[in-house]
Amino acid sequence: MKRRQILAAAGVGLAATALVGCNKEAEPGAGKSEAGASAEKFSWKMVTSWPKNFPGVGVGAERFARLVNEMSAGRLTVKVYAAGELVPALEVFDAVSRGTAEMGHGAPYYWKGKVPAAQFFCALPFGPNAQEMNAWLHRGGGMELWEEVYKPFGVLPMACGATGVQTAGWFNKEIKSVDDFRGLKMRTPGLGGEVLTRMGGTVVNMPAGEIFTALQTGAIDATEWIGPYNDLALGLHKAAKYYYTPGWQEPNVTFELDVNLKAWETLPDDLKAIVRAAARDVNGDMLDDYNAKNMEALEQMREQGVEVRRLPDEVLARLKEVAAEAVDAAAAADPVASKVWEQQRAYMQRLYEYAELNEKDIYNIRG
């Protein structure tokens, strides 16, 4: 049986006591069915940081909404708003925090200015891959820390999507040495952006819909977005000449589902369970999607003449040194981030030791 069918069967079969909710509708004669489930209906809005139905992230947000609707038999419906339809792409967290929307879907490092510790739940330069980040979040205490960090803002976070290893990005100039980063204007968020700044570059933040034009017109010299799947959809191969790997700045990005805590507290327990189950489904399904589609998209771009280049060893070595400095500095600048990093670093070291012992040789020998 497919995962979706299993989740749907499990979700529809759940039952719990009804609670009073916000933005809810009650049908005539609403109450409890013979099975004891609440007949109350909740209609929620979910704002996102993505263009409508954008491959990977946008599709994942739509999948989440569809799963919740199906698993709850229509008792909780979620309407998805693309970036800019209700709020700008980089204001999703604020919208959920203040209750403009009950839910949001975005990337934690987009709101590092408001919540400095958020970026540690998203992506670390030369850091964990998707499997390692998920292990920390769901088995290593990461989710408990994440909830603690967001609680003062009235937001409940859940992991809801992952990219896997990204690419280093698109450049309109060759990268031959560390000096080539000086003066480079690049769209790259989070801690990767902190590294670029320390390398002498300039970070330019912008949502997906603005990247192509900025790169084509020279407003930026380079950009990283996610990888071939999304890069092809944005047409970045038509706006820049050089495509570099590996994605040192983001060995993975974890996306988040944000839920307004006051709204969350109005849901009965079975609908809460459905939301959590749908988020976990999307968290895994999106990674599957990227693993499959990145390969296909890169093949298409190569057919169109795109040449993939590897960053020089000396450049990667220097980036790694600077990344360690940037991550430590970001943690030291905020007591909450410091607490998160201390726990995360200790757990990640154990994961890295296992990967070094058992997984690294397999990749090398296979290659």
Side-chain angles (χ1 to χ4, degrees):
M1 183 181 293
K2 294 181 178 179
R3 180 193 304 173
R4 179 174 161 187
Q5 294 172 320
I6 293 172
L7 287 169
V12 173
L14 294 170
T17 303
L19 299 176
V20 177
C22 65
N23 291 336
K24 62 186 178 183
E25 302 173 0
E27 296 180 343
K32 291 184 179 179
S33 67
E34 293 182 2
S38 169
E40 290 177 314
K41 292 186 176 181
F42 300 78
S43 297
W44 282 13
K45 299 184 290 291
M46 181 167 75
V47 292
T48 77
S49 298
W50 327 118
K52 190 72 173 178
N53 285 318
F54 193 68
V57 283
V59 171
E62 293 284 354
R63 176 181 175 83
F64 169 82
R66 186 172 64 253
L67 283 172
V68 168
N69 181 53
E70 293 177 355
M71 292 161 63
S72 69
R75 289 171 49 222
L76 173 57
T77 57
V78 179
K79 179 175 175 57
V80 179
Y81 291 86
E85 287 186 338
L86 197 59
V87 299
L90 304 183
E91 296 182 16
V92 167
F93 183 86
D94 285 338
V96 176
S97 178
R98 63 176 176 257
T100 301
E102 291 83 4
M103 288 180 165
H105 192 267
Y109 54 27
Y110 287 163
W111 14 99
K112 70 172 187 175
K114 179 179 288 291
V115 193
Q119 56 194 332
F120 287 85
F121 301 99
C122 186
L124 294 175
F126 296 97
N129 61 22
Q131 295 90 329
E132 290 165 337
M133 181 64 89
N134 279 327
W136 174 62
L137 289 174
H138 298 120
R139 294 292 186 270
M143 278 309 313
E144 289 81 359
L145 280 172
W146 202 355
E147 291 178 10
E148 179 183 327
V149 170
Y150 278 20
K151 189 174 182 179
F153 300 91
V155 175
L156 176 70
M158 300 179 198
C160 193
T163 64
V165 181
Q166 300 197 9
T167 53
W170 297 88
F171 295 72
N172 272 320
K173 59 182 291 188
E174 289 185 88
I175 301 297
K176 297 180 179 179
S177 71
V178 294
D179 290 336
D180 292 320
F181 284 92
R182 296 188 183 280
L184 187 76
K185 293 180 295 183
M186 184 172 182
R187 183 270 173 203
T188 182
L191 290 163
E194 297 293 333
V195 176
L196 178 66
T197 299
R198 286 169 174 261
M199 295 283 286
T202 300
V203 173
V204 182
N205 287 319
M206 62 182 64
E210 300 175 12
I211 295 176
F212 177 86
T213 300
L215 191 60
Q216 188 180 51
T217 61
I220 56 176
D221 304 310
T223 184
E224 59 81 24
W225 176 230
I226 294 178
Y229 183 22
N230 287 138
D231 294 350
L232 180 64
L234 288 177
L236 299 183
H237 60 296
K238 299 177 181 178
K241 184 174 182 180
Y242 305 106
Y243 197 25
Y244 280 99
T245 64
W248 61 271
Q249 77 289 352
E250 292 170 343
N252 174 64
V253 166
T254 294
F255 300 109
E256 67 182 11
L257 173 73
D258 291 325
V259 185
N260 179 276
L261 267 173
K262 290 183 179 179
W264 176 256
E265 291 165 359
T266 69
L267 291 181
D269 288 345
D270 65 325
L271 292 184
K272 289 179 179 178
I274 285 171
V275 170
R276 289 191 181 278
R280 285 298 293 266
D281 177 275
V282 172
N283 196 50
D285 185 76
M286 191 184 294
L287 182 60
D288 295 345
D289 195 30
Y290 275 112
N291 283 335
K293 298 297 177 55
N294 276 331
M295 169 190 65
E296 297 172 2
L298 185 58
E299 290 171 349
Q300 292 181 47
M301 287 194 290
R302 277 178 163 160
E303 289 174 358
Q304 296 178 44
V306 170
E307 178 186 351
V308 181
R309 297 188 177 189
R310 185 180 183 276
L311 289 169
D313 287 342
E314 68 173 53
V315 169
L316 288 169
R318 181 56 182 157
L319 286 169
K320 185 178 179 181
E321 292 174 355
V322 176
E325 297 169 0
V327 172
D328 285 342
D334 178 75
V336 178
S338 180
K339 177 182 177 179
V340 172
W341 177 226
E342 182 179 359
Q343 195 272 1
Q344 184 184 41
R345 177 168 51 186
Y347 193 84
M348 290 302 172
Q349 184 59 42
R350 295 166 59 199
L351 287 174
Y352 297 162
E353 288 173 358
Y354 178 79
E356 184 76 17
L357 175 70
N358 189 53
E359 297 182 16
K360 182 178 179 180
D361 280 347
I362 287 295
Y363 293 138
N364 290 338
I365 295 170
R366 186 180 67 183

